Amino acid sequence: MELRSRLARAALSRPGVLLAAYPGATRERLTVEAELARRGWPSVAAPADTDLLVIAGGPGDGGDDWVANVWGAVSAPKAWVRVTDAEQVADAFDRGLAELGRGGSPSAPGPTVRHAGHDHHAAHDMHATHDTDDAPDMHATHDTHEHGGGTAEHIGHDAHHGQMEHPGHTMHAEHTMHAEQGHAGHAGHAGHAGHDMGVVDGLPMADRADDRDGLRLDRLHVPLGPVLADWPSGLVLRLTLQGDVVQEAAVEQVAAPPSPRPPFWNEPFLRAAEGVPVPGGHAARRLCAAHLDSLGRYFAVLGWSDLAARARHARDRALAGTPAAELAALVRPLIRRAERSRTVRWLTAGVGVLPAEHARHHGVTGPALVADGDAHARMLVWLEAVGRNAAAADLTEPLDATEAVGPRGRIVGDAMPASQALLDVLPGLLQGAEFACARIIVASLDPDLDETGLVTVAGTDHG
């Protein structure tokens, strides 16, 4: 009894937070992550560990069904807050903590309701919208000290001590929010004529088919997303597995409301394309932060939690306006450790190979095209771009819009959104890959669904 009381008090002071972010809410997501780091609250990966559900952004035409399903899997006492204004994240956290202290939220998450010039939803929502050019000051407090000789090469050590876990740990079933979430509730049956196995207790049953070796194995339909730790916001991936090998893959995304602001990472380049003078350093700083954000997810999926935290800390400092010399000094050790890691090379070499010719054929631009190779090659391109843009973060010369390339690729002209091209090539890269590598492949492309709006990507059968 005393132990349960102590655990309850600890949960009230440091609640486990599960972040559910919509496309278009990157600014809010970044501020939530920085606030979690500042307070030292744990970010959890599954509803079972959740005390406070933080929803970044608002529902689109598809509503909040997938969020409601996540909420239903969280055990009481529990609370939720919706963040639609990055400047009020701290207030939202305080409200959520107070709600937990009162025993939790009595109602499930729902859409924002506007009434008489004010926004209302059980005192949980944050609704003011401030269209600012720069991100809020994100003073994250990550541990930036080296950990007593700990390196990425010691796979078996606990990641909380700065070492790398085996990537298979990140693929544990409790990390996958099975797509009874929202419109994803049909669990991957579409497009598989003749293999409709039915559903038992909301879980898809397996059927059988020949695998690549001619053996008759169970085919399991496994949805990933949209609420998954270190996962692109709003992405739903439907995989058909035989054993541990991906046979088919389809890509979808959750609907999100139209944003009055441009995609966060592309903002400087789009403003420059409209003729607004944008300092080159501002664009370089945004590029540096975007690639660090991608690297944070990439390292986390690999199980290298220490370097993931360092990448996110550097990301927040870049967005907060840290001088170029200080920023370059901050990222230099991170770049060196990642480039020299034999373990990272071993885990990612040959994973998700995307030749430049194939990438160009599908309209891929930016780092994925430049890399001309596997997940490890794409990481190296990000690292090089981080160092180069960190050093250029104080430039005052205007950005040349004709040469501007965003973090995922070209963002001006008649070409499709850069992330749309990444989504288009993703199913082909997943086909034939081991399930444990699927998340590495996604993280190495890191498509930004802010760019694709409400477009739903048609699933492609690669079986």
Side-chain angles (χ1 to χ4, degrees):
M1 190 70 177
E2 182 181 353
L3 176 61
R4 284 200 299 270
S5 178
R6 287 202 303 269
L7 290 175
R9 287 196 298 271
L12 286 178
S13 61
R14 297 181 66 249
V17 175
L18 179 63
L19 175 59
Y22 280 88
T26 296
R27 188 186 304 267
E28 290 73 24
R29 172 182 65 82
L30 293 171
T31 312
V32 167
E33 291 178 1
E35 184 67 14
L36 284 174
R38 188 185 72 80
R39 296 187 181 217
W41 290 6
S43 177
V44 302
D49 302 319
T50 301
D51 301 305
L52 177 63
L53 175 64
V54 177
I55 308 163
D61 294 339
D64 253 347
D65 290 346
W66 60 277
V67 174
N69 284 329
V70 174
W71 174 254
V74 179
S75 301
K78 57 186 179 180
W80 65 272
V81 292
R82 185 185 299 278
V83 175
T84 59
D85 177 9
E87 294 185 0
Q88 296 182 13
V89 166
D91 292 340
F93 275 36
D94 291 341
R95 279 203 304 278
L97 192 62
E99 191 70 49
L100 283 172
R102 293 191 293 268
S105 300
S107 60
T112 297
V113 178
R114 295 188 177 276
H115 178 68
H118 298 281
D119 295 325
H120 299 277
H121 197 297
H124 292 287
D125 296 340
M126 295 168 24
H127 313 282
T129 55
H130 299 275
D131 190 6
T132 56
D133 292 335
D134 296 314
D137 189 2
M138 303 180 190
H139 295 283
T141 56
H142 294 281
D143 177 11
T144 58
H145 297 287
E146 293 293 332
H147 290 269
T151 69
E153 321 309 329
H154 301 113
I155 297 178
H157 290 202
D158 192 326
H160 294 291
H161 296 286
Q163 276 70 47
M164 177 178 292
E165 298 173 351
H166 192 281
H169 294 175
T170 66
M171 299 304 301
H172 194 281
E174 72 177 9
H175 287 193
T176 60
M177 304 302 302
H178 300 292
E180 294 83 57
Q181 298 169 358
H183 73 287
H186 295 89
H189 298 293
H192 304 294
H195 299 288
D196 188 359
M197 310 81 62
V199 175
V200 175
D201 287 338
L203 297 177
M205 296 175 61
D207 61 351
R208 291 194 174 189
D210 293 335
D211 80 338
R212 58 186 177 182
D213 297 319
L215 302 176
R216 193 116 179 122
L217 298 178
D218 286 346
R219 288 161 49 102
L220 182 63
H221 300 277
V222 178
L224 298 179
V227 181
L228 190 61
D230 307 302
W231 185 256
S233 298
L235 178 64
V236 178
L237 199 61
R238 301 192 183 283
L239 305 179
T240 300
L241 304 178
Q242 284 186 290
D244 62 349
V245 177
V246 177
Q247 299 294 330
E248 300 171 2
V251 179
E252 300 173 6
Q253 71 180 72
V254 301
S259 174
R261 299 174 300 199
F264 178 77
W265 298 121
N266 295 346
E267 182 182 18
F269 309 101
L270 293 173
R271 291 172 57 214
E274 294 171 352
V276 178
V278 176
H282 181 62
R285 189 177 293 278
R286 194 66 63 96
L287 275 175
C288 179
H291 293 317
L292 286 166
D293 187 53
S294 296
L295 286 165
R297 275 191 286 276
Y298 183 80
F299 294 139
V301 166
L302 291 177
W304 201 354
S305 58
D306 171 54
L307 210 62
R310 291 166 188 255
R312 288 163 178 157
H313 172 64
R315 173 200 68 189
D316 295 346
R317 300 311 308 149
L319 293 173
T322 298
E326 183 180 342
L327 185 60
L330 182 63
V331 302
R332 199 172 297 123
L334 180 151
I335 295 170
R336 186 167 55 248
R337 287 187 68 186
E339 287 179 338
R340 295 179 178 180
S341 172
R342 293 188 300 272
T343 302
V344 168
R345 181 182 295 276
W346 175 73
L347 289 173
T348 59
V351 174
V353 177
L354 180 61
E357 182 179 357
H358 183 67
R360 193 176 293 109
H361 175 73
H362 286 274
V364 174
T365 58
L369 175 64
V370 174
D372 187 22
D374 55 20
H376 188 263
R378 292 190 283 275
M379 178 200 72
L380 293 178
V381 171
W382 280 340
L383 291 171
E384 188 278 331
V386 164
R388 172 166 38 85
N389 286 288
D394 289 344
L395 293 179
T396 58
E397 292 81 1
L399 175 67
D400 183 355
T402 62
E403 299 178 0
V405 177
R408 272 77 181 180
R410 261 196 326 269
I411 58 174
V412 294
D414 298 328
M416 74 174 74
S419 290
Q420 180 67 59
L422 295 177
L423 293 173
D424 288 346
V425 300
L426 180 56
L429 297 185
L430 291 170
Q431 181 197 3
E434 294 184 2
F435 181 56
C437 294
R439 290 204 60 192
I440 297 175
I441 294 172
V442 173
S444 72
L445 293 176
D446 197 27
D448 179 13
L449 273 64
D450 289 17
E451 294 183 346
T452 61
L454 293 175
V455 175
T456 297
V457 182
T460 301
D461 188 347
H462 294 271

